[in-house]
Amino acid sequence: MGLYIVLEGMEMSGKSTVCKKLGAAIKARVTAEPFNETPESKAFKAKLVSNTMTKDEEIQGFGTARVEAFQKVIGPYLKHGRDVISDRNFITSMVYQSDEHVTPSEIFSFNKKLLGSYGFDILPDLVIFIDISHEEFLERLDKSINDGRDINAKDLMFKDKEVFDIYRNKYLRCLDYLVDQFDVTVQILKPSETDLVNLLDIVEKSRELKEEKKHKNKMSKYFQPL
């Protein structure tokens, strides 16, 4: 099996750039959320951008798109020994789709159960979270505006430091949850720490750790009492 790597972070953190750089270096299949590689997923993304969906429709829609991503890309590539890098995954939903009515853990449980019903393990082998500061965010936002890049409402929302900090802290709590409850390997990096040498070292260590976990699981089953 290949390595399933996820890049997460606040807006303007440089996730997409790191995905492309690391993907090229390890010859991984790179994908992104929301999944946008089939007519069905493109239709969902168009509806999502229209801002006409209810919260329940968003949760269900992202879940369905993840199933398609695993069926069409992530699952087959991993099965054939290819590494897969995803620009965002269910962690994004835990952060942005949760509210006072739906908790991040409920979002996670829904997605885990849904993917599991199709035979997929939703948990990544490695999560790299690029932890950008609010000052860095503002600098990059200004540069993007000056360069004429498309800016969405979410980008502008984070100009408010209090809002930015709320979502950043939410991300960190979700990552802690995955580490504590499911032993997911998480690396939190500053943008200055995303050089290729460091990234490749992290990936190699994660590959070794995956083999160790696999070995421990085999041994624990072997020594189970009859």
Side-chain angles (χ1 to χ4, degrees):
M1 294 287 286
L3 209 63
Y4 177 32
I5 303 168
V6 169
L7 266 290
E8 282 284 359
M10 298 291 289
E11 304 302 314
M12 302 289 167
S13 62
K15 295 178 289 67
S16 300
T17 300
V18 171
C19 281
K20 293 173 184 176
K21 177 171 66 175
L22 181 58
I26 65 174
K27 296 180 172 57
R29 174 61 155 88
V30 177
T31 186
E33 285 208 5
F35 190 56
N36 193 35
E37 301 186 28
T38 63
E40 293 80 7
S41 60
K42 288 177 181 177
F44 167 68
K45 186 173 182 179
K47 190 174 181 182
L48 184 67
V49 172
S50 70
N51 292 320
T52 59
M53 301 177 73
T54 66
K55 180 62 64 99
D56 286 344
E57 287 175 333
E58 276 191 25
I59 293 171
Q60 295 281 345
F62 269 102
T64 301
R66 285 186 187 107
V67 169
E68 189 174 19
F70 269 81
Q71 288 177 326
K72 302 287 177 63
V73 175
I74 300 172
Y77 275 83
L78 292 177
K79 185 177 179 180
H80 287 90
R82 284 281 302 277
D83 297 330
V84 176
I85 301 177
S86 180
D87 183 349
R88 296 196 182 281
N89 79 338
F90 66 87
I91 302 171
T92 302
S93 287
M94 291 175 71
V95 173
Y96 290 106
Q97 292 173 1
S98 60
D99 55 23
E100 65 272 17
H101 303 295
V102 184
T103 67
S105 60
E106 288 173 329
I107 298 287
F108 170 75
S109 296
F110 165 75
N111 281 278
K112 188 174 188 298
K113 184 176 181 181
L114 178 63
L115 269 292
S117 68
Y118 287 88
F120 298 113
D121 182 3
I122 196 173
L123 294 171
D125 298 303
L126 170 65
V127 177
I128 297 175
F129 178 77
I130 304 177
D131 192 16
I132 189 172
S133 70
H134 188 247
E135 292 75 16
E136 289 171 313
F137 166 80
L138 291 176
E139 289 175 5
R140 295 183 181 196
L141 178 63
D142 287 342
K143 186 177 185 306
S144 295
I145 293 173
N146 292 335
D147 290 344
R149 288 174 50 190
D150 289 336
I151 302 299
N152 58 41
K154 192 187 297 179
D155 297 326
L156 297 176
M157 175 178 75
F158 290 137
K159 291 180 73 174
D160 185 328
K161 187 177 186 303
E162 185 176 349
V163 175
F164 181 93
D165 288 342
I166 287 171
Y167 280 88
R168 176 182 175 274
N169 290 331
K170 210 172 177 183
Y171 254 120
L172 296 176
R173 289 197 301 272
C174 289
L175 294 174
D176 282 342
Y177 172 77
L178 294 174
V179 172
D180 293 341
Q181 299 297 318
F182 300 97
D183 196 27
V184 174
T185 301
V186 173
Q187 285 285 333
I188 299 177
L189 303 178
K190 297 182 186 303
S192 60
E193 298 173 322
T194 59
D195 59 279
L196 192 54
V197 173
N198 191 37
L199 290 170
L200 291 175
D201 183 55
I202 289 169
V203 168
E204 186 55 35
K205 288 177 180 176
S206 298
R207 207 181 298 281
E208 293 170 3
L209 185 58
K210 181 177 182 177
E211 288 301 314
E212 288 177 14
K213 288 180 180 179
K214 189 194 302 183
H215 178 70
K216 286 180 181 178
N217 289 338
K218 284 182 179 178
M219 295 307 290
S220 63
K221 291 177 182 177
Y222 182 77
F223 284 106
Q224 282 181 351
L226 297 176

